[in-house]
Structure formats: C-alpha cells, structure tokens
Amino acid sequence: MPSMNERYEPKSIEPRWQRRWDEAGVFRAGRREGAEKRYVLEMFPYPSGAMHMGHARVYTIGDALARLLRMRGYDVLHPMGFDALGLPAENAALKDGRHPAERTRENIVAFRQDMQRVGFAFDWEREFATCDPEYYRWNQWFFLRMLEKGIVYRRQGRANWCTGCNTVIANEQVVDDNLCERCSSPVVERVITEWAFRITDYADDLLAGLDELRDWPERITTMQRNWIGRSEGAEVDFAVDGSAERIRVFTTRVDTIFGCTYVVLAPEHPLTARLTTPARKADVQAFVDRMARTDAALRTGEDAPKEGAFTGAYAVNPYSGEKVPVWIANFVLAGYGTGAVMSVPAHDQRDLEFARKFALPVRGVIQPAGGPRLPAGEALERASTDDGVLVDSGPFTGLPSAEARRRMSALAKEKGFGEASVKYHLRDWGFSRQRYWGTPIPIVYCPEHGAVGVPDADLPVTLPDEAIITGTGEPPLAKVPAFVNTTCPTCGKPARRETETMDTFVDSSWYYARYLSPRDAERPFGQSEARRWLPVDVYVGGPEHAVMHLLYFRFWHRVMQQLGLVFEKEPVKRLVTQGIVNGPDGRKMSKRWGNVVQPGPIVDRFGADTMRMFMLFAAPPEKDIDWSDEQVEGMFRFLSRVWRIFHARQEVFLVPDRLLADAAGPFLELRRKTHRTIKRVTDGLEGELKFNTAIAGLMELVNELYALEPASDADRAAVKEALVALATMLAPFAPHVAEELWHEVLGPEVRDQLLAEAPWPSHDPALVVADVVTVAVQVNGKLRGEIQVPLAAGEPEVRALAEREERVKAHLAGKTVRKVVFVPRRLTNFVVA
C-alpha cells in the first residue's frame, strides 16, 4: 500500500476528485433503475454577481442531504440552474451601459465555476437559465393556456409603482416604509392597465393545502395563512340619506350592527367625492391628498394615530333605520374588503379610539354569556371583542353571536340589502412589468380583433437583441419598431406586439418541473418524468420567500394539475428554511456594509471541505450563523487532525476484518463508540437534518481514536473499522477528503469505486445497546447519588449496590428503611423514618 502524504493539502485533493466524479457521471439522476427516488432541490440563484456565503450555505445544506441519500441507495435528482431574468440585471445595465444578456452570461459562468470548486453534487446535464428562449417559451405557452381558461386577464386597477425601477412591483415586494425591496426607492400607487393571474380563485384551495404540509416550518404556513387572509362575514348596504347611493360594507361581526354609530370610507373610495357636502369639500380633499402621500402600512398600523374627516353625509342602518354619520379615516383602505366599514366602537378597539377622539357615540350591544355584565358604552375602558349574547338589537336580542350572524345574513339576502360573504387579503397577481429583461408577453393587439394570443407554432416570442434601456418613458420594448410592428395572427393585418414583460416570479414558479426534461422541445416537461420525480422531496431556501415565490409556485402547480401535467396538488413535501449568514461584524452580509465574504478566497486558503464543514457545524440549518475566521480555521485543524490519525494508523489497513470479533477492553468500547456514532449520525441527518450534532459525533469518535494505542491485530481491526466508518460518514460534509481517505483505507479493494456512491454504513444493534445503565438513587425523594448497574440487574442487586454508595450510606445511617421504590434501569428510592 503506498504511503499517505503526511500533511493535509486540499488543493491537491479536491480538483482531482471533482474530475473523477464528473468523468464517472456519479451525480446524474436516473442511473439507479428501480431504486426509490428522492428529489432534493435548492432555490436557484439570481446570477447578479459572484456567489456569496449565503448562497454557499443553502447549497451545502442541500448537497449534504443529496449525498447522504445517494449513499443510502436512493436514485437522487439534485439539479441546478439560474434565475436569470429580472430587474437587477436591467438596473445594472442601466448603470454601466452593458447589455443585460452579456452581464448575465458572464455571471452565470463565474457562478457555475464557484459551485464546481466547492464540489456540489449537481446533475449539471439538467442546467438551464431562465433567460434561455428555450425556457421562457414555456412561460409564454403557460400564459396562453391560462388565457384560454380565464386564469389570465387584462385589468385596470391600482398598482405599486417603484419610482426607482420605473415598473410595477407586487404587494409582496413592497417593504417597510413603502420602499421597493430591490432598490429601496419610494413606491407610489398608480392606476394602470396590466395583466394578472386569478390566484384569488385558488385562495381556499391554497389555504386548505397548508394543512397537508406537515413537513413545512409552521412559521411559513402561518405567514401564508395570514397573507391569504380569509375572513368570513357579511356584506351589507347602508343607504345614503337623501341620495340614491348605497355604501356597501363588509363586516365579520354583523351581530354588532345595532351598535354601529358611524360609517367610514377609505379616502380613495369612489363615493368619497360624491357624498361629501359642499361645506366639507375643502377639509375632505385636504385629508384625501395627505393620505395619498402616506404609506398605507403607516396609516393602518396598530399604533398609528386615528385620523379622519366628516363628509357631511349620513347613512341609514338597514336593520335599525338609524341615521349615522359618514366619515373618511386613515385606517380604512380601498383595496381591502369593500373599502368601507361600519364602526361599532363598543366592540372594536380601533373604532373606539376614533370615536373617543371625535366625540362619537359608543353603544354596547353584546353582553358576556356568563359572568359580570359590561358597563354602558360610554364607561368602557376598552372595546369588548368577544362573542356573547345580543342586547338592544331589536328582534335579534337574546341570540348568541354566532346564531345572530347566521340569521342577520339570511335576512339581508332575503330583503336584498346584503348577503353572507368571504373576503381575502390575497389579491390577484399582477405580473406585467414595464421592463426589457423579462419574458415577452405573447399578445398581439389588432385594431379589428383586439388582444390576440400568439399561436403556439410562433413561440417563443424572443427578446430583440437591441435593448434601449433608459429607465424613463415607455417600456424598452416599445422603443424597438422591429419588435413592436407585426401582423395579426387572425386576420394578417398590421398589428402591434405587447411591449410589457412578465414578472420574474413567473420564471421561478415552475422551474423545478423543467429540470425533469430540460431539453424537451415539444412540451414543458414529460409526464412520465413527472410521475417519477414529483413532488420535490426536500426544498431548501430562505424564509423571506414565504408569501412570494412559495405561494406563487403552489398556485402554479395547481394550474399544471388542471392542465394534466402533474398529478398532485403540492409541489414540495418538505421545506427547509435556512438562516442567514452574518458577516464578521455581526450584521447580515451585504455590499452596503462591506462585510461580504466570498467562497473563492476561503477555498483557496483552506479548501472547499473546510468551508462546507463550517457552514454545517456552526448552527442548525434554520438558525442564523455568524461568520468567524477563527471557527473556519478550527474546522481546518479538525480535518487536518482527521488526516493525521489516518496517517498515524496506516498499519491497521492491512488487518483482516475477521479479527473484529476478538476486540476486547477499550477496543471493544471503540467498536461500540463507532456503531453508536453511525446510528447517531444517520438518525440525525435523516430526521431533523442535525448536521451540527452529526459532525460533533464524528469529532468525539476522532477523540476516541487519538486516546488509544493498538497493540494487537484485534485492536488494529477495531481501529480500522472506526476509520472506515469515519471516512464514510464524512462524505456528505467533506466529500473530497473523505474520498481520499476512504481510498487510502481500502486501497486496491476500491480502486475503481467511488465513495460518493458507496453504501452508507449500518450499525450493529448489539453494539449500540449499553451493557450498563446509570440509576439514580434517592432517599425520601431527594437525589443522593448515582450508580452504574448491569443492564439486566434486578431489584436485589441494584439495592445492594445503592446501599454501598458512600453518599447514600451517609443518609441511611441510623435510619429505618420502611419502603424501597424501584423503577428498573432508572431509579431506586429509599423511604426512611
């Protein structure tokens, strides 16, 4: 057997094994016919620059799991591609004058090289970029199918307009202080014409599906529930006194309507201008103008001061006939519900605060079903929001709240002034963008036939090479006559192409399915491949995508099911959300703070395996980690230590395995430690992805190896077993050094084999079971000592050992034992006088 190098030198090891893996095609999916499948996927990156440690952590988590599953015998699909369209590349092009395609292609090359240097086990034969026309052609195909089914439609409505990106952005992309999450520019509301997906038609199904996602983090499913925001209630019309107008309100508490003392419109509500009396016009308009300049989140925040203006109009309560004043207020938005609410100060805290400020009446109409009665409305310190029994509510007095809501909704429907209703916070997904670097929307506008879909045979509608990107004026594609001017597919007459492009979230809503057959030119992906690989078994990515990507792609999967392309409702079984990587200064890595650490220099200095080990050991996947040069160096020292123990014990590699049965004393304990470590690592990885505790187990095994000096061949056989297991279990975490050491251990036996596809070790149950257990000894219920007893020891033997324990003896001296409570393998308690 050739002698090992004395020093651990990752630069000489890692490129060599990467070449071997690539030449052998180890990571190609579909090589294990008949084996059970596992689809492991990480959220693909936007190639806006070099790979950073945040990316590296996501891919290292997924890669370690994919490698483990492959060694466990599964046929593993673990692909990678690039989310390459979107605003960042276009904004960068605007800044430096380069074409988005040129910059993006360069970044993809650099990104891929970084990934390959780290040794990620991707099936690179399935790679694609969403800026490939061969990919976005299918975005257009899906658009046309959804247009046929009415899932896509053209609408005019209010939208978020980013003043920096000069385009519409989704609600989910507006962050604190009404800023664009991409560029931090102010976001204003504009009325525009846009294309939208009817995601609201799927609201109930998306909501119900969350109950089945048992292997998703609860915080993610909770965020989606809240974002969908289903509210059951009633819509009720308040007639406007002296007018033909009606104000339709939505309320979840119609049982409180006899306590309504005023009605509130959103400042933007179309009735605001029509209902305001001449005497109130100036004050109302000034308030409307001020609210238009105020961030909606700030307006409606729980701690925001309650502001408003009286319109001068009065509305009529349809149940009581009472006239109540109509106000506009900052806490009502036109986009939620009907943009109008009935205000019941006694039973809604926000309404109470407004009423107190503007001296409006407070009238209680719900009393608790039991216990003390509430004081009169004017004496309430806080609004009472619980269900109860109705009082002072006409014919509904005495009914429980739930029954009253049912009867009141039925009466509204019977009399024609309302009905039961369900509202959602979720809004339809407006996806058209006024930018160049996106999927062209396959629509032609014909003077005679209107909006006409481009025929499938003419797809893809490709982006023109000419990109006139100014950041101002009409969309960039509108400035390219060769693109705009075309003919109508229906009549052949001159027509104009749609010049808006699709939101980049369209690209990422179904990319996981394209990986199944990425070169298919006849369909988005094959159905036999979908039956084989979907759903994704494990999906790794950031929790910040909870109500954008993760909601959109659940919607898209349902559409694909309607189209007969997939055969289940949910795209992913298990979601793993990783924490962020903070810079050396403790802040989130960002170019803004100048604290970004990139993998390249770390790999150059310490090797890819060291970086991977740090990422997996620093914290569980869901926790944030702080970058630490010292801890990275510590991981390098650990791998060097592993290397040295293999180098120091080269003589054990030639000892036959049959001598294991003769191991005794500390070397039998080493065997037990080895098999317990195998079980601990296996259970930890396959269950809760406890990479950090698994690595800790390997460290403990290394410590055990350093503490022993083998003297016999039986001792050496136990050491060899531990070293083989150690190298094998290192493979998901530090695959290059593991591969090198495994080949050193087994030599000619595995010359033509690769550890990356070798079987994962199994533990011997007989060696995992302890021969002795620790039993607690109590005197009168207080712990007085612990003893080690044989696993099979009965009460007499345990009692005798306990009575000889020095501290226990001291507490038993001079006392009479009246009773002994014995719990096998756990506890002995002496009850004494």
Side-chain angles (χ1 to χ4, degrees):
M1 175 178 291
S3 178
M4 286 178 63
N5 290 332
E6 187 174 353
R7 295 183 58 197
Y8 169 47
E9 295 176 341
K11 283 186 179 180
S12 66
I13 296 171
E14 293 176 353
R16 174 158 41 88
W17 288 113
Q18 289 165 10
R19 287 193 298 271
R20 284 282 303 275
W21 293 330
D22 185 54
E23 291 165 1
V26 173
F27 307 129
R28 286 202 303 269
R31 296 174 70 240
R32 295 179 173 176
E33 188 174 347
E36 191 176 344
K37 70 92 179 178
R38 286 294 184 271
Y39 186 174
V40 179
L41 183 65
E42 299 93 68
M43 294 181 184
F44 63 169
Y46 192 93
S48 57
M51 185 171 80
H52 57 68
M53 285 300 174
H55 294 118
R57 189 179 188 202
V58 178
Y59 311 138
T60 302
I61 291 168
D63 192 70
L65 180 59
R67 286 178 175 273
L68 170 76
L69 292 171
R70 193 173 288 106
M71 295 176 75
R72 296 285 281 165
Y74 295 103
D75 189 7
V76 177
L77 172 57
H78 185 217
M80 180 50 64
F82 297 93
D83 189 12
L85 292 171
L87 289 176
E90 187 165 337
N91 288 343
L94 183 62
K95 183 178 179 180
D96 60 21
R98 298 182 68 195
H99 195 287
E102 178 186 3
R103 168 185 285 276
T104 299
R105 293 297 178 187
E106 288 177 2
N107 289 344
I108 287 174
V109 170
F111 223 110
R112 187 190 306 114
Q113 289 173 345
D114 284 343
M115 289 176 162
Q116 290 170 338
R117 283 194 71 198
V118 180
F120 292 133
F122 295 130
D123 184 349
W124 284 108
E125 292 186 356
R126 296 172 185 264
E127 176 196 353
F128 59 78
T130 58
C131 59
D132 300 333
E134 295 80 8
Y135 181 83
Y136 67 67
R137 164 193 181 177
W138 298 108
N139 289 346
Q140 296 169 342
W141 183 88
F142 278 120
F143 173 96
L144 294 170
R145 301 293 80 77
M146 287 193 258
L147 186 65
E148 292 166 359
K149 290 182 172 294
I151 303 170
V152 165
Y153 68 104
R154 192 78 164 146
R155 71 179 182 187
Q156 187 171 54
R158 298 178 182 274
N160 303 306
W161 182 269
C162 173
T163 56
C165 298
N166 283 294
T167 187
V168 168
I169 62 175
N171 290 342
E172 297 88 342
Q173 293 168 290
V174 181
V175 295
D176 295 341
D177 301 324
N178 224 40
L179 301 178
C180 171
E181 73 161 1
R182 288 287 190 191
C183 70
S184 298
S185 297
V187 176
V188 298
E189 195 173 68
R190 281 192 181 181
V191 177
I192 64 164
T193 303
E194 64 175 354
W195 291 96
F197 293 120
R198 296 189 194 275
I199 190 173
T200 54
D201 286 356
Y202 297 78
D204 280 329
D205 198 33
L206 289 166
L207 199 58
L210 293 173
D211 293 333
E212 304 303 316
L213 298 178
R214 298 181 182 89
D215 290 325
W216 282 42
E218 186 177 355
R219 62 173 174 159
I220 300 298
T221 56
T222 297
M223 289 170 72
Q224 289 207 5
R225 286 182 206 282
N226 292 340
W227 190 259
I228 295 170
R230 187 180 194 275
S231 297
E232 293 186 12
E235 290 188 358
V236 175
D237 290 333
F238 280 68
V240 177
D241 187 41
S243 166
E245 301 281 10
R246 290 178 174 269
I247 300 172
R248 172 150 286 208
V249 305
F250 172 75
T251 177
T252 60
R253 294 296 306 273
V254 70
D255 55 312
T256 67
I257 199 166
F258 281 84
C260 171
T261 58
Y262 61 102
V263 169
V264 179
L265 301 177
E268 308 87 357
H269 197 292
L271 284 178
T272 297
R274 299 206 296 269
L275 298 188
T276 302
T277 61
R280 301 296 306 159
K281 279 261 190 247
D283 286 348
V284 168
Q285 190 58 50
F287 186 77
V288 169
D289 292 343
R290 185 158 63 86
M291 290 300 103
R293 299 189 300 269
T294 305
D295 172 25
L298 293 177
R299 273 175 51 182
T300 58
E302 192 172 322
D303 297 327
K306 303 303 180 283
E307 300 179 89
F310 176 43
T311 65
Y314 287 83
V316 180
N317 187 322
Y319 290 92
S320 68
E322 180 185 11
K323 295 179 184 178
V324 294
V326 179
W327 287 68
I328 59 174
N330 61 338
F331 57 80
V332 180
L333 297 175
Y336 183 72
T338 63
V341 299
M342 65 171 208
S343 291
V344 185
H347 303 295
D348 183 285
Q349 186 62 29
R350 177 197 58 189
D351 295 348
L352 179 61
E353 291 170 12
F354 191 89
R356 294 279 193 245
K357 183 169 182 176
F358 293 100
L360 296 165
V362 178
R363 183 185 307 139
V365 292
I366 306 288
Q367 286 291 342
R373 291 176 60 83
L374 297 174
E378 299 300 338
L380 279 175
E381 294 183 6
R382 287 194 62 81
S384 173
T385 58
D386 294 335
D387 277 7
V389 177
L390 274 65
V391 297
D392 299 327
S393 297
F396 303 99
T397 296
L399 290 176
S401 288
E403 176 65 13
R405 287 193 288 269
R406 188 186 67 78
R407 293 195 192 184
M408 287 175 154
S409 297
L411 179 66
K413 185 175 180 63
E414 178 189 337
K415 298 296 185 182
F417 62 79
E419 60 186 344
S421 179
V422 176
K423 295 294 181 185
Y424 300 88
H425 175 270
L426 181 68
R427 294 290 174 266
D428 279 345
W429 173 11
F431 65 90
S432 48
R433 301 291 181 261
Q434 296 69 37
R435 300 306 294 260
Y436 166 80
W437 195 234
T439 298
I441 295 175
I443 287 291
V444 168
Y445 294 104
C446 171
E448 185 173 339
H449 294 96
V452 179
V454 173
D456 288 357
D458 294 339
L459 300 181
V461 177
T462 57
L463 288 169
D465 292 336
E466 186 179 2
I468 304 174
I469 302 171
T470 64
T472 59
E474 60 187 351
L477 292 180
K479 303 170 185 176
V480 185
F483 176 83
V484 174
N485 298 321
T486 186
T487 56
C488 173
T490 301
C491 64
K493 294 179 181 178
R496 291 175 58 84
R497 289 194 189 278
E498 172 64 81
T499 58
E500 295 182 335
T501 55
M502 297 186 196
D503 180 4
T504 187
F505 280 110
V506 169
D507 306 324
S508 59
S509 288
W510 70 280
Y511 77 106
Y512 59 95
R514 184 62 177 172
Y515 283 133
L516 308 186
S517 44
R519 310 294 170 248
D520 197 326
E522 304 299 322
R523 54 199 171 171
F525 52 91
Q527 274 57 70
S528 62
E529 288 87 349
R531 289 189 185 277
R532 166 64 171 159
W533 293 109
L534 293 178
V536 175
D537 292 284
V538 182
Y539 195 29
V540 185
E544 67 273 13
H545 298 294
V547 294
M548 291 185 286
H549 164 61
L550 290 174
L551 186 61
Y552 293 156
F553 93 146
R554 291 184 62 226
F555 154 70
W556 204 280
H557 198 85
R558 282 160 166 75
V559 173
M560 294 197 298
Q561 186 190 36
Q562 284 182 260
L563 296 174
L565 299 175
V566 299
F567 308 99
E568 61 286 313
K569 281 190 176 180
E570 296 295 343
V572 166
K573 287 184 179 178
R574 180 179 186 182
L575 176 68
V576 177
T577 53
Q578 91 291 340
I580 63 173
V581 181
N582 294 314
D585 57 359
R587 294 187 289 189
K588 181 179 179 180
M589 282 191 185
S590 169
K591 293 177 183 177
R592 177 183 179 187
W593 306 121
N595 63 352
V596 172
V597 178
Q598 293 181 340
I602 302 300
V603 174
D604 288 339
R605 184 178 175 190
F606 297 110
D609 285 341
T610 292
M611 188 198 75
R612 294 168 63 108
M613 290 282 284
F614 168 77
M615 287 292 183
L616 296 171
F617 183 67
E622 70 278 5
K623 302 294 185 183
D624 295 350
I625 62 175
D626 295 326
W627 182 263
S628 166
D629 292 338
E630 293 78 10
Q631 289 184 31
V632 173
E633 290 180 17
M635 274 299 151
F636 180 77
R637 288 194 299 271
F638 169 69
L639 291 178
S640 298
R641 195 164 183 253
V642 171
W643 184 273
R644 287 195 302 273
I645 195 65
F646 274 81
H647 182 270
R649 296 287 180 256
Q650 290 181 75
E651 79 283 356
V652 308
F653 302 159
L654 299 177
V655 175
D657 295 339
R658 58 183 170 77
L659 295 177
L660 280 170
D662 299 329
F667 290 91
L668 177 57
E669 286 303 314
L670 174 62
R671 292 204 67 204
R672 290 187 176 122
K673 181 69 174 180
T674 299
H675 284 262
R676 289 172 191 153
T677 303
I678 292 171
K679 185 178 189 304
R680 174 182 176 181
V681 172
T682 306
D683 292 347
L685 294 185
E686 290 203 334
E688 299 178 32
L689 300 185
K690 295 179 178 178
F691 299 113
N692 55 329
T693 60
I695 293 172
L698 298 181
M699 291 176 170
E700 292 173 13
L701 182 59
V702 171
N703 290 339
E704 194 88 3
L705 284 163
Y706 267 93
L708 297 172
E709 190 68 42
S712 68
D713 280 352
D715 296 347
R716 294 183 187 97
V719 172
K720 176 186 176 182
E721 178 186 45
L723 291 174
V724 172
L726 175 61
T728 309
M729 288 186 287
L730 264 177
F733 316 112
H736 309 87
V737 68
E739 196 85 60
E740 183 80 7
L741 294 174
W742 191 71
H743 281 78
E744 289 286 354
V745 169
L746 299 179
E749 295 178 41
V750 294
R751 181 176 291 114
D752 298 323
Q753 298 177 31
L754 289 167
L755 176 57
E757 52 186 356
W760 185 256
S762 58
H763 69 273
D764 182 342
L767 290 170
V768 169
V769 175
D771 287 339
V772 296
V773 293
T774 301
V775 172
V777 183
Q778 297 176 346
V779 177
N780 285 346
K782 293 185 178 179
L783 182 66
R784 299 304 184 187
E786 292 181 337
I787 55 173
Q788 299 289 313
V789 303
L791 190 64
E795 181 176 354
E797 187 177 358
V798 173
R799 176 172 177 172
L801 290 169
E803 288 174 338
R804 290 200 295 268
E805 207 280 330
E806 290 299 324
R807 287 177 297 167
V808 176
K809 281 171 65 177
H811 285 89
L812 294 179
K815 297 183 175 67
T816 301
V817 177
R818 292 188 171 180
K819 182 181 179 183
V820 177
V821 178
F822 174 65
V823 181
R825 303 182 187 181
R826 293 180 56 192
L827 172 72
T828 293
N829 179 31
F830 294 95
V831 180
V832 301

